[in-house]
């Protein structure tokens, strides 16, 4: 099953996304589903695993979504997640060090978002 996944413990989930409220739930969804777009928060509550745990899982298991956004307000967490993902991602994965733009959110909500990779054969 192909899904778009939004991990955050506090922000409202955008239309068209499946919400994961913590790292364990996000990892479970990454295991069970094909994730097209993933948007990650870093801080997920006091004394809880962070978005970095999800990043470590993605890298270790090579379960990269096609598109990854980092919407966290934690500058240090964002940098750590970005650097780890960037150093390990396959060439076809699109990684953005900022939240999803409004036009992307609208396209996903309307079911019109397309992954642009230039070749068409690169995506699994």
């Amino acid at each position: 099953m192909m899904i778009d996944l939004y991990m955050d413990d506090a922000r409202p989930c955008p239309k068209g996304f499946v919400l994961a409220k913590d790292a364990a739930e996000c990892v479970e969804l990454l295991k069970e589903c094909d994730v097209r777009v993933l948007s990650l928060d870093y801080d997920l509550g006091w004394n809880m695993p962070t978005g970095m745990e999800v990043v470590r899982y993605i890298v270790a298991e090579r379960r990269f979504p096609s598109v990854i956004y980092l919407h966290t307000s934690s500058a240090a967490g964002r940098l750590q997640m970005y650097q780890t993902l960037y150093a390990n991602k396959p060439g076809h994965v699109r990684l953005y060090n900022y939240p999803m733009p409004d036009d992307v959110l609208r396209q996903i909500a309307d079911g019109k978002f397309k992954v642009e990779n230039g070749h068409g054969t690169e995506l699994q």
Side-chain angles (χ1 to χ4, degrees):
M1 170 171 64
M2 179 72 70
I3 64 168
D4 297 319
L5 183 56
Y6 189 83
M7 184 182 73
D8 202 297
D9 64 318
R11 292 176 187 88
C13 184
K15 184 178 178 206
F17 282 82
V18 173
L19 176 64
K21 288 190 154 286
D22 59 40
E25 191 176 2
C26 190
V27 166
E28 198 57 39
L29 286 164
L30 284 162
K31 285 179 184 176
E32 294 174 2
C33 305
D34 289 323
V35 177
R36 179 178 63 163
V37 178
L38 174 64
S39 189
L40 291 174
D41 190 12
Y42 181 79
D43 292 312
L44 299 167
W46 176 252
N47 224 10
M48 295 295 288
T50 66
M52 196 61 206
E53 292 304 310
V54 175
V55 168
R56 285 188 192 105
Y57 168 79
I58 290 169
V59 168
E61 299 298 322
R62 309 297 296 162
R63 295 286 296 171
F64 285 88
S66 299
V67 182
I68 304 170
Y69 286 93
L70 305 176
H71 68 259
T72 183
S73 54
S74 168
R78 176 191 313 254
L79 182 62
Q80 186 182 17
M81 290 192 302
Y82 182 83
Q83 287 177 334
T84 301
L85 288 166
Y86 188 82
N88 292 281
K89 73 177 188 66
H92 71 271
V93 172
R94 300 292 172 246
L95 174 63
Y96 301 100
N97 199 8
Y98 50 81
M100 286 174 283
D102 288 341
D103 64 320
V104 171
L105 286 167
R106 260 192 311 278
Q107 288 173 26
I108 290 172
D110 294 342
K112 297 179 178 169
F113 182 77
K114 299 272 188 268
V115 174
E116 296 176 20
N117 66 355
H119 295 90
T121 57
E122 294 176 273
L123 294 180
Q124 294 135 312

